[in-house]
Amino acid sequence: MERWPGAEKPYGINATGIGLRHPHVQEILETRPPIPWFEALTDNYLNPGSLLAAQLDAVSDAYPVALHGVGMSLGSVDPLDRAYLTKVKALAARIKTPWISEHLSFTSVNGLYSHDLLPLPFTQEAVDHLVDRIKQVQDFFGEAILVENATAYLRFSSSEMSEVEFLQQILERADCGLLLDLTNLYINSVNHGENVQDLLLGIPLGRIRQIHLAGHEHKPGFLLDAHNNKVADPVWALYSQIRAMGVVAPALIEWDSDIPALSVLRNQAERANQITVDPILTAGSL
Amino acid sequence: MNLATHQANLLALLLPGQRELSDFPHATAPGGAAIGLGVQIYRNNVFHAHLNALREIYPILLNIVGEHYFSQLARDYLHRHPSNSPDLNHYGGRFPAYLTQLHNERSELEGLPYCGDLCRLEWLWHRAYFADQSLPFDYQKLQTITEGEMPDIQFVLASHVGLIRSRWPILAIWEANKNRLETGAVTATEEEDLLMIDRRDYKPTIHRLSSSQWQLLQQIDSRTTLATILASPPPDRIEYPAENQPDIQGLLAIAIDNGWVSGFRLPK
């Protein structure tokens, strides 16, 4: 598919990017740190008249900014929200985004929005539905999107396949990219007693276009996808493994709560870069 | 259970006070636990997403009623008014009306008769922050209007401009709480607070209006024609000596120059 008009910047986005968060924007604009690319949360910038949007415009003048959304509700049985998609498309064109990503989940049904990423059963009906919706979105954007494997705190007996089979079918049939969130993969495996290696080895590597790395939190009886601390060692180990398997997609450090200084995120990104360069050696030192 | 039923049942389970766990008999949570744990995680996520949105929009009310009561209000509001937009910035628009109604129902809000109006002010501030940029007023287009058409034109307020009137001193309450000062006992004012929310350099600002300014902007907001505006008697409130009544055309020019009026339309 075509790229966004005018999106032919020299991106240099093979190195690790950082999630763009409001507390860091001023520093980024004033000091222009050597960060290869950012990922912005689409839903925060849909109103083009706001200060936030103006700041994003300024950041995107200097850096590539990918868009990562939560509001598309790809898995919902409601009709796609064309007004929302129109806003996303306009934003993407304005900042010349290299790609758009969304989650394999649903956030709304019957016109009501949860504003959380809710889990789908791994059924053929859900696969067929998601494939159709992703194709509609890609047709509307004129561009392939990336879909992210989501954290799920519930598993359903109505599921007819594993999470990996679910992903495989969707990626191939919708002809879209995968934003592989290794933290989500790890959390799901621990929370539901699943073998993370089965998950990792079953993923179609050629579909991976981006990798997410985030911190999680230990809660009584489960791991929470909290995005509020450093990436944990088991997730770094998965990252080393996926790099050793030859995956070249860029990674991104996500941090959404208790946001620390930008330097902390840059250190996390640097660690990812070291693993990217030499995954076997670095994995051994973890 | 098909996909539509799955989604409807799950969302209903997560919104406050709707469904019971028995609607999902065949689900498991982390560690193979019963569904309750997983549902609780999602309920918590859903509620806090909405709570945090309201906290961002209504910081002054939060300061007045405190975290605990604000959280109770947020839960009840979510139960009565679940979000119907993918944009969380649109959530909370009915909160002022909800509070006004609640004030009549709840004894603990007896001391806060102004809470609905105060929240209306906070909502307009929030709305101004996220409003689209209005284009500059098109004077050239205005010159194309014929003399015969001119009386029928309706001016248009800029999308960031909001108007609110209250018999409570909501601007003083807003400023005191913003600066973490004690407001003391609040009584109704003899003359209403007439306020306009504007935006300069992306930052919303609140202005106190004269009654003439208020009347003009209110008329524009309600699509009053230019002829009717010019023929309107001055407001009752006496702010100027009779010989110094403000000139409506002059006020209109100021409103356009300041970007409060962004355009006009000619009804068919």
Side-chain angles (χ1 to χ4, degrees):
Chain A
M1 286 192 174
E2 296 294 316
R3 298 188 68 79
W4 293 103
E8 295 81 13
K9 289 180 182 175
Y11 283 121
I13 47 180
N14 285 328
T16 307
I18 288 175
L20 183 67
R21 300 296 180 263
H22 187 62
H24 301 143
V25 169
Q26 203 61 36
E27 180 184 348
I28 290 164
L29 291 175
E30 287 173 2
T31 66
R32 304 293 169 105
I35 295 168
W37 63 288
F38 290 98
E39 180 188 77
L41 299 172
T42 312
D43 302 79
N44 289 349
Y45 302 99
L46 295 177
N47 300 288
S50 72
L51 174 62
L52 290 177
Q55 289 175 327
L56 180 66
D57 289 351
V59 172
S60 70
D61 283 343
Y63 300 90
V65 181
L67 287 174
H68 185 50
V70 294
M72 212 175 281
S73 201
L74 277 178
S76 173
V77 294
D78 283 358
L80 281 165
D81 186 332
R82 294 280 163 172
Y84 176 86
L85 293 178
T86 301
K87 283 186 170 187
V88 175
K89 187 175 182 178
L91 172 61
R94 204 176 76 231
I95 67 166
K96 299 179 175 58
T97 196
W99 62 75
I100 294 174
S101 59
E102 254 292 347
H103 296 83
L104 288 175
S105 59
F106 77 102
T107 59
S108 60
V109 65
N110 297 332
L112 299 181
Y113 287 78
S114 69
H115 299 290
D116 193 22
L117 303 167
L118 304 181
L120 294 160
F122 302 140
T123 60
Q124 199 57 52
E125 183 193 9
V127 169
D128 295 344
H129 183 66
L130 274 163
V131 167
D132 178 54
R133 301 263 288 189
I134 293 167
K135 283 181 173 175
Q136 284 186 55
V137 169
Q138 294 183 145
D139 286 346
F140 185 81
F141 288 164
E143 175 86 8
I145 64 168
L146 315 189
V147 293
E148 178 183 338
N149 56 303
T151 311
Y153 301 102
L154 289 169
R155 289 293 198 226
F156 306 101
S157 60
S158 55
S159 289
E160 300 157 354
M161 61 190 85
S162 69
E163 182 173 5
V164 160
E165 291 166 327
F166 187 71
L167 285 173
Q168 285 168 343
Q169 281 203 45
I170 291 165
L171 295 171
E172 293 306 320
R173 288 178 50 199
D175 194 19
C176 60
L178 173 64
L179 196 178
L180 175 62
D181 191 313
L182 286 173
T183 305
N184 292 353
L185 204 70
Y186 174 70
I187 288 173
N188 283 351
S189 72
V190 172
N191 281 348
H192 300 295
E194 295 161 352
N195 186 340
V196 72
Q197 290 302 318
D198 290 345
L199 295 169
L200 200 62
L201 296 174
I203 285 172
L205 301 182
R207 289 279 173 188
I208 301 174
R209 296 283 180 274
Q210 187 190 335
I211 298 168
H212 265 173
L213 299 166
H216 62 268
E217 195 173 338
H218 288 261
K219 295 283 190 183
F222 68 99
L223 301 183
L224 183 69
D225 185 23
H227 293 198
N228 65 350
N229 52 53
K230 292 180 179 174
V231 179
D233 284 347
V235 177
W236 283 126
L238 292 176
Y239 183 62
S240 298
Q241 186 179 348
I242 202 98
R243 287 303 189 201
M245 290 158 71
V247 172
V248 293
L252 181 113
I253 304 296
E254 275 191 305
W255 202 313
D256 291 294
S257 300
D258 305 326
I259 297 172
L262 184 61
S263 59
V264 175
L265 298 185
R266 291 183 64 190
N267 287 341
Q268 290 278 283
E270 182 50 34
R271 183 170 180 182
N273 286 335
Q274 287 172 11
I275 293 173
T276 304
V277 171
D278 196 345
I280 297 172
L281 191 67
T282 321
S285 66
L286 289 171
Chain B
M1 186 187 297
N2 67 19
L3 195 57
T5 308
H6 167 95
Q7 294 184 2
N9 282 358
L10 185 56
L11 184 59
L13 198 57
L14 303 179
L15 293 172
Q18 296 218 11
R19 292 279 182 89
E20 297 304 320
L21 296 178
S22 55
D23 289 320
F24 261 98
H26 303 300
T28 57
I35 182 175
L37 174 60
V39 167
Q40 197 49 47
I41 295 168
Y42 283 113
R43 278 181 176 165
N44 202 45
N45 287 349
V46 169
F47 173 61
H48 278 89
H50 291 81
L51 171 65
N52 289 337
L54 293 178
R55 285 168 54 97
E56 290 281 325
I57 300 167
Y58 300 106
I60 305 297
L61 182 75
L62 171 63
N63 190 44
I64 291 171
V65 303
E67 291 277 357
H68 181 70
Y69 192 70
F70 191 87
S71 178
Q72 285 182 17
L73 289 175
R75 193 175 295 279
D76 186 50
Y77 180 72
L78 176 58
H79 173 52
R80 299 193 199 196
H81 302 287
S83 173
N84 57 12
S85 166
D87 188 344
L88 202 46
N89 287 317
H90 294 169
Y91 181 66
R94 285 177 287 185
F95 197 62
Y98 157 79
L99 271 183
T100 300
Q101 183 192 337
L102 207 66
H103 171 256
N104 300 323
E105 298 171 7
R106 300 258 181 104
S107 59
E108 68 268 23
L109 287 173
E110 215 168 78
L112 303 175
Y114 55 82
C115 61
D117 284 359
L118 178 68
C119 285
R120 222 159 266 125
L121 178 63
E122 293 202 87
W123 175 255
L124 291 176
W125 199 100
H126 168 78
R127 204 186 66 169
Y129 184 88
F130 284 103
D132 288 346
Q133 292 281 10
S134 296
L135 293 172
F137 189 87
D138 190 344
Y139 288 99
Q140 283 191 336
K141 188 178 170 194
L142 186 63
Q143 285 176 349
T144 66
I145 301 296
T146 65
E147 209 170 297
E149 291 170 332
M150 192 61 84
D152 293 327
I153 67 167
Q154 299 168 342
F155 288 99
V156 178
L157 287 184
S159 57
H160 64 266
V161 169
L163 300 170
I164 178 170
R165 67 193 301 170
S166 175
R167 65 192 183 99
W168 305 100
I170 53 174
L171 180 55
I173 296 168
W174 192 88
E175 286 173 337
N177 278 278
K178 202 161 179 59
N179 297 312
R180 303 273 168 165
L181 301 173
E182 288 292 326
T183 49
V186 174
T187 53
T189 51
E190 283 187 19
E191 292 191 337
E192 289 178 312
D193 255 2
L194 304 175
L195 305 173
M196 175 186 66
I197 291 78
D198 187 17
R199 186 173 73 183
R200 284 279 175 271
D201 298 328
Y202 298 107
K203 189 178 176 190
T205 52
I206 304 173
H207 302 270
R208 201 180 291 282
L209 299 178
S210 71
S211 54
S212 300
Q213 289 172 319
W214 169 269
Q215 178 171 292
L216 172 65
L217 294 175
Q218 185 62 52
Q219 286 177 321
I220 291 172
D221 196 30
S222 56
R223 300 189 177 191
T224 307
T225 63
L226 180 59
T228 306
I229 288 175
L230 294 176
S232 300
D236 291 340
R237 193 192 288 187
I238 299 168
E239 293 169 323
Y240 305 94
E243 64 276 20
N244 287 339
Q245 281 297 329
D247 159 37
I248 297 298
Q249 293 186 46
L251 288 179
L252 184 56
I254 290 170
I256 294 172
D257 284 348
N258 281 315
W260 304 335
V261 173
S262 61
F264 63 90
R265 64 169 78 87
L266 193 59
K268 288 178 182 173

